[in-house]
């Protein structure tokens, strides 16, 4: 009877470890997307540009109609790569945060000048 109990405990431990591993791999895969250009796969240009999934909820309040023109003006290479889907998750997030900072600076300058 003790042997069956130990086997059941080991089986449950294996199932729990597998579930934890699956969740960890899924989480890491969302953070580190492959660069399609390095894999030799061409990605079609999206019809609509969407902001990246942001870990800071405050950055989600910026309208895409104001941020993407800033990105195209100040970071044209990043904008083209963003548009083609060739930026990694971290690069998309940094470009978006930089453009949000420029947006805030412009708003503050306008406020100070008025």
């Amino acid at each position: 009877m003790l042997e069956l109990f130990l086997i059941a405990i080991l089986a449950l431990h294996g199932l729990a470890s597998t579930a934890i591993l699956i969740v960890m791999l899924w989480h890491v895969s969302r953070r580190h997307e492959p660069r399609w250009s390095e894999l030799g796969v061409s990605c079609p240009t999206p019809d609509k540009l969407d902001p990246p999934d942001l870990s800071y909820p405050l950055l989600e309040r910026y309208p895409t109609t104001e941020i993407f023109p800033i990105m195209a003006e100040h970071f044209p290479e990043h904008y083209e790569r963003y548009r083609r889907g060739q930026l990694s998750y971290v690069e998309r997030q940094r470009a978006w945060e930089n453009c949000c900072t420029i947006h805030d600076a412009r708003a503050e300058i306008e406020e100070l000048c008025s």
Side-chain angles (χ1 to χ4, degrees), residues 1-58:
M1 188 67 164
L2 179 64
E3 295 164 343
L4 289 176
F5 180 73
L6 291 175
I7 290 173
I9 294 292
L10 288 174
L12 289 175
H13 180 268
L15 289 173
S17 298
T18 303
I20 291 170
L21 180 62
I22 288 170
V23 170
M24 288 175 60
L25 288 174
W26 175 77
H27 181 71
V28 168
S29 70
R30 290 194 65 217
R31 288 276 184 199
H32 304 286
E33 298 172 358
R35 294 180 187 220
W36 297 108
S37 60
E38 293 175 2
L39 298 175
V41 177
S42 62
C43 293
T45 303
D47 294 334
K48 180 182 173 192
L49 291 174
D50 292 323
D53 296 330
L54 299 170
S55 56
Y56 307 109
L58 294 177

Side-chain angles (χ1 to χ4, degrees), residues 12 23 33 37 40 48 66 71 73 76 83 86 97 103 113:
L12 289 175
V23 170
E33 298 172 358
S37 60
K48 180 182 173 192
E66 294 178 15
M71 188 183 299
E73 178 184 348
R83 202 170 59 80
Q86 295 175 338
E97 289 171 0
H103 181 272
C113 291

Side-chain angles (χ1 to χ4, degrees), residues 32-104:
H32 304 286
E33 298 172 358
R35 294 180 187 220
W36 297 108
S37 60
E38 293 175 2
L39 298 175
V41 177
S42 62
C43 293
T45 303
D47 294 334
K48 180 182 173 192
L49 291 174
D50 292 323
D53 296 330
L54 299 170
S55 56
Y56 307 109
L58 294 177
L59 292 177
E60 293 176 358
R61 65 182 169 94
Y62 293 97
T64 58
T65 56
E66 294 178 15
I67 298 300
F68 284 120
I70 292 172
M71 188 183 299
E73 178 184 348
H74 293 281
F75 309 103
E77 182 181 319
H78 277 80
Y79 176 73
E80 283 302 315
R81 289 178 57 212
Y82 192 109
R83 202 170 59 80
R84 286 190 233 121
Q86 295 175 338
L87 287 180
S88 69
Y89 173 80
V90 174
E91 290 173 321
R92 281 195 317 260
Q93 187 174 7
R94 285 185 185 152
W96 185 265
E97 289 171 0
N98 290 338
C99 293
C100 291
T101 303
I102 292 171
H103 181 272
D104 286 344

